[in-house]
Amino acid sequence: MPNSSTDALSIAGVDYSSRLLVGTGKYKDMDETKNAIETSGAQIVTVAIRRSNIGQNKEEPNLLEVIPPDKYTILPNTAGCYDAESAVRTCRLARELLDGHDLVKLEVLGDEKTLFPDIPQTLDAAKQLTDDGFKVMVYTTDDPIMAKRFEEMGCVAVMPLAAPIGSGLGIRNPYNIRTIVENANVPILVDAGVGTASDAAIAMELGCDGVLMNTAIAEAKNPVLMASAMKKAIEAGREAYLAGRMPRRAYASASSPIDGHFF
Amino acid sequence: MEILLNGDPHSIEQSCTIESLIVKLELDGKFAIEINKNIIPRSEYPNTRIHAGDNIEIVNAIGGG
């Protein structure tokens, strides 16, 4: 039976037993961030790179003290970048900040209303980053052709959106996600759009290698409890995928045998 | 002399290094620094002089998805 030691998620040559990746945004405070992330069981945790608050919040703990890089794989993102240049610049700063750690989440956004990726800019940035030795996990649309292009460029994981970032609308186009998974030779992770546990399970049942989420946990009424639910949903969905679901039928199929019926 | 620090005008002493700026700002924890869009490796902080008009960015990791 598959378990976490035999069914690892392998990204850029590193094996992870958890297939749930989580963000660190939108939490009430650092305590809630820490509790939710610990409960989720996530091993890869995204962070944003922003200007330091000079001379402010001296008492507030540093995020990297709450999620220490020796315990978690820190995945710096380029959220908020609307062009390739600023995304590449952000990744280079992140690499310096994290002592040469070169795994990054690339997202180059198209507009503020949809937060859909700008694909030409994302392609440009992915090329520059892979040429510069970065291991790129790329946020993209649920387009199978683009997913293949990013794989061919050397991205270590392709992460199609399931619905707009922060929308919680769930897996809007399961057929595209399935096609992307079927064509892929690198891990495919749903990044964005998951709203609740069943959405995460559906992504995993489609064969995704993992799910990256932030808002679904952070904006739950009880984020720590939702983190627990998501952990179970990811595991349940993965096991259901590996188990292979029964075929769908248009009509009933009795579960009890007909033979030996006594009236 | 005047520099731009994280987008805002800031006055520092002449011939200040990145190292002395960090001390003056009482920065701790992990951060990364750019001068005029060039990243300064941590090992170069003591040797890197700041010039008038330099555009300095100091960044760190915060919560994000």
Side-chain angles (χ1 to χ4, degrees):
Chain A
M1 184 175 155
N3 59 41
S4 57
S5 60
T6 58
D7 181 41
L9 167 63
S10 187
I11 295 178
V14 180
D15 285 353
Y16 301 92
S17 56
S18 171
R19 291 174 178 274
L20 173 57
L21 289 71
V22 295
T24 51
K26 299 183 177 174
Y27 286 100
K28 185 179 67 186
D29 54 32
M30 287 290 179
D31 273 351
E32 191 181 75
T33 308
K34 182 174 192 282
N35 290 338
I37 287 165
E38 279 180 1
T39 303
S40 76
Q43 296 166 298
I44 302 177
V45 178
T46 65
V47 302
I49 305 299
R50 291 290 181 273
R51 283 173 167 165
S52 300
N53 276 330
I54 305 289
Q56 290 172 28
N57 299 332
K58 281 268 178 271
E59 287 78 36
E60 184 153 318
N62 188 303
L63 180 64
L64 295 179
E65 290 164 14
V66 176
I67 46 158
D70 57 354
K71 187 174 168 197
Y72 295 98
T73 295
I74 306 297
L75 183 62
N77 71 25
T78 61
C81 293
Y82 286 84
D83 58 77
E85 186 197 345
S86 58
V88 170
R89 197 175 154 198
T90 301
C91 290
R92 290 184 174 141
L93 278 164
R95 181 166 62 182
E96 171 63 20
L97 176 72
L98 296 168
D99 307 312
H101 172 76
D102 53 13
L103 185 70
V104 292
K105 172 182 160 179
L106 172 64
E107 57 177 285
V108 187
L109 303 171
D111 74 33
E112 289 177 18
K113 183 174 180 182
T114 65
L115 298 179
F116 263 43
D118 182 319
I119 296 298
Q121 291 291 319
T122 308
L123 283 166
D124 181 0
K127 174 78 170 67
Q128 292 185 51
L129 289 168
T130 50
D131 285 352
D132 193 14
F134 281 95
K135 300 179 180 93
V136 178
M137 300 175 69
V138 61
Y139 165 69
T140 182
T141 45
D142 60 358
D143 175 344
I145 305 305
M146 285 321 308
K148 202 64 189 171
R149 291 282 179 277
F150 285 116
E151 176 187 319
E152 288 163 354
M153 290 174 73
C155 293
V156 299
V158 176
M159 307 199 291
L161 57 86
I165 292 172
S167 70
L169 290 173
I171 316 296
R172 291 297 81 208
N173 199 339
Y175 300 99
N176 276 25
I177 300 288
R178 191 195 299 272
T179 304
I180 291 171
V181 168
E182 284 172 359
N183 290 342
N185 296 305
V186 293
I188 302 297
L189 294 90
V190 156
D191 177 6
V194 165
T196 188
S198 53
D199 298 333
I202 288 168
M204 296 308 293
E205 287 173 6
L206 288 168
C208 289
D209 297 279
V211 177
L212 197 168
M213 65 178 75
N214 189 152
T215 310
I217 297 175
E219 278 191 4
K221 286 203 180 84
N222 183 336
V224 178
L225 190 56
M226 186 58 89
S228 169
M230 290 300 186
K231 179 177 195 277
K232 291 167 182 160
I234 294 285
E235 289 170 0
R238 178 65 182 174
E239 288 186 6
Y241 170 71
L242 292 173
R245 61 153 296 143
M246 61 162 280
R248 289 176 174 84
R249 298 185 181 93
Y251 298 102
S253 166
S255 298
S256 304
I258 304 295
D259 287 355
H261 212 295
F262 55 85
F263 59 85
Chain B
M1 63 184 181
E2 292 294 313
I3 59 167
L4 262 185
L5 178 61
N6 282 0
D8 293 324
H10 193 90
S11 280
I12 57 166
E13 295 164 23
Q14 291 286 346
S15 67
C16 181
T17 64
I18 287 290
E19 182 86 356
S20 53
L21 178 67
I22 291 165
V23 172
K24 183 170 163 254
L25 295 175
E26 298 175 16
L27 290 176
D28 53 11
K30 279 181 112 59
F31 47 84
I33 298 182
E34 266 185 351
I35 301 182
N36 304 327
K37 295 192 179 180
N38 294 309
I39 291 171
I40 310 301
R42 210 160 290 148
S43 58
E44 293 299 315
Y45 290 172
N47 307 322
T48 305
R49 294 211 171 276
I50 301 170
H51 302 97
D54 275 351
N55 184 0
I56 299 180
E57 294 283 351
I58 304 179
V59 302
N60 61 0
I62 64 154

